Amino acid sequence: MAADNPRGAMFRVIVPNQPSRVTNAELFFDLVFVFAVTQISHTLLNHFTPPGAIEVTLLFLAVWWVWVYTAWVTNWLNPDLTPVRILIFLMMLGGLVLSTTIPTAFDGRGLWFAIAYAAMQVGRTAFWLLATPRHRTAVRHNAIRILVWLSCSAVLWISGGLAHGEERLWFWIAALAIEYVSPAVRFWVPKLGFSSVEAWAVEGGHMAERCAGFIIIALGEAVVVNGATFAELNWTADNILAFLACLVGSIAMWWVYFHKGAEAGSEVISKAAESGRVARLAYTYLHMPIVAGIILTAVSDELVLKHPTGHSDVRTIVSTIGGPLVFLVGTILFKHSIRGFLQLSHGIGIIALAALWWFAADLSPLWLSVATSVIMIVVAVWESVSLGSKVEEAEER
């Protein structure tokens, strides 16, 4: 029973050799972030300039950070219990406010964005602290450390929301810097010192499944937007081919991440002696470029579908090549963190995409999209064949 759980009444009951499942409440919470991803991609599409890219990147980092921190906390707490479910539902409310303010976060609704973000980060951590029994001193100290860091950043978020123009940007950059640096310095605070790696143990299978679910969210959002955009067009041979190229590109991304990497990551973190260390690097940090690449590719897909012919402009080139490139960089680093070697297929794919940049201006958006999709297919097939051969060799031995 939950009340007899030595970890705490509101914590998950850990059963040896039985991974914790992702609950329906967590999946329900994730639906908010389908909207958030859509808002980010559309905001980037409408503000595709260097300043706009900086602002959208900052907003993306904030959205990812509030989601991944929630994934950590629900890895420990039990979402099947009513108090934890209420926390998740309140987080959904905050997430909806956060998502709706993304397009105008640097204009009229910046304070709303800041309040929603700070409330989610600080409120969730305070709940975790209150849910932790007093005898679990190391966990309580971790919660206190994080609460201190997030409270400091919350002041900067609110200050930025009250500021205007470039001042808001600098306040929010400082706030994000505090939050992204804090895990690297193990949430050091006076008197309590550094947190120990052992205190950050997670249920590995659950963490891997949660992050894989966010990848599905991002890919699914791209496919849905592509379908909605295509449905509004007059169908011609060019935009039909463009639609197919975009879909194949999304399938190739799914294959690259899920066919071998996601399962391998889940197995490694489930067996890791320091699961918290693996989760911090492989899932908290290295999944960011993977998701960012998918979002950037979604921007490209919409541009290509609407304007498949003619020469590719800067927006189309940067998004069509940059999306898969950032995705592969994130994926090769993620797989290196769990396998210990760099995947050759991914490295060649990155080089091929970089080389394609030299010829991109001479290609139409359609053929540029086809070229990047072909490169991603080659990477996916190459990895599948090469790793399949290694498995066969190991079995023969």
Side-chain angles (χ1 to χ4, degrees), residues 58 61-62 65 69 117 149-150 152-153 156-157 169-185 187 285:
L58 187 149
L61 293 175
W65 215 233
Y69 265 45
Y117 182 86
W149 280 84
L150 292 180
C152 291
S153 67
L156 294 175
W157 281 108
L169 176 64
W170 287 112
F171 270 119
W172 285 359
I173 288 175
L176 267 184
I178 288 174
E179 295 192 23
Y180 272 77
V181 167
S182 57
V185 298
F187 298 100
Y285 286 111

Side-chain angles (χ1 to χ4, degrees), residues 47-199:
H47 299 84
F48 211 111
T49 61
I54 292 172
E55 293 175 357
V56 173
T57 299
L58 187 149
L59 297 174
F60 163 70
L61 293 175
V63 168
W64 170 256
W65 215 233
V66 76
W67 181 87
V68 81
Y69 265 45
T70 304
W72 276 82
V73 170
T74 54
N75 186 275
W76 297 317
L77 301 181
N78 185 359
D80 283 334
L81 299 178
T82 299
V84 182
R85 281 184 176 174
I86 291 173
L87 169 69
I88 291 174
F89 297 153
L90 290 174
M91 291 288 290
M92 288 179 68
L93 173 61
L96 282 172
V97 175
L98 191 79
S99 300
T100 55
T101 57
I102 284 173
T104 55
F106 284 91
D107 296 315
R109 293 182 177 174
L111 183 58
W112 282 101
F113 180 91
I115 290 173
Y117 182 86
M120 292 174 75
Q121 292 288 68
V122 173
R124 181 201 55 242
T125 309
F127 181 93
W128 172 39
L129 174 60
L130 293 173
T132 304
R134 293 191 175 277
H135 71 271
R136 299 194 66 196
T137 306
V139 178
R140 287 183 62 83
H141 284 178
N142 271 348
I144 293 169
R145 291 185 185 97
I146 296 176
L147 190 59
V148 169
W149 280 84
L150 292 180
S151 296
C152 291
S153 67
V155 173
L156 294 175
W157 281 108
I158 301 300
S159 299
L162 293 170
H164 300 281
E166 197 170 305
E167 288 185 6
R168 175 174 296 174
L169 176 64
W170 287 112
F171 270 119
W172 285 359
I173 288 175
L176 267 184
I178 288 174
E179 295 192 23
Y180 272 77
V181 167
S182 57
V185 298
R186 289 161 44 197
F187 298 100
W188 180 91
V189 296
K191 295 186 178 180
L192 293 181
F194 297 98
S195 65
S196 64
V197 175
E198 293 78 11

Side-chain angles (χ1 to χ4, degrees), residues 294-305:
I294 296 171
I295 292 174
L296 191 54
T297 301
V299 173
S300 161
D301 291 348
E302 192 161 347
L303 290 171
V304 172
L305 282 169

Side-chain angles (χ1 to χ4, degrees), residues 335-396:
K335 292 179 180 179
H336 177 266
S337 71
I338 59 176
R339 290 177 179 155
F341 63 89
L342 293 173
Q343 198 71 39
L344 179 60
S345 58
H346 294 41
I348 297 300
I350 290 169
I351 293 172
L353 287 167
L356 182 61
W357 214 296
W358 292 99
F359 312 101
D362 297 324
L363 297 175
S364 68
L366 168 59
W367 290 110
L368 185 61
S369 178
V370 169
T372 57
S373 294
V374 168
I375 291 172
M376 292 301 296
I377 292 170
V378 170
V379 170
V381 172
W382 185 346
E383 179 187 32
S384 298
V385 172
S386 64
L387 291 182
S389 300
K390 289 181 181 179
V391 171
E392 290 179 2
E393 291 176 3
E395 290 176 348
E396 290 175 0

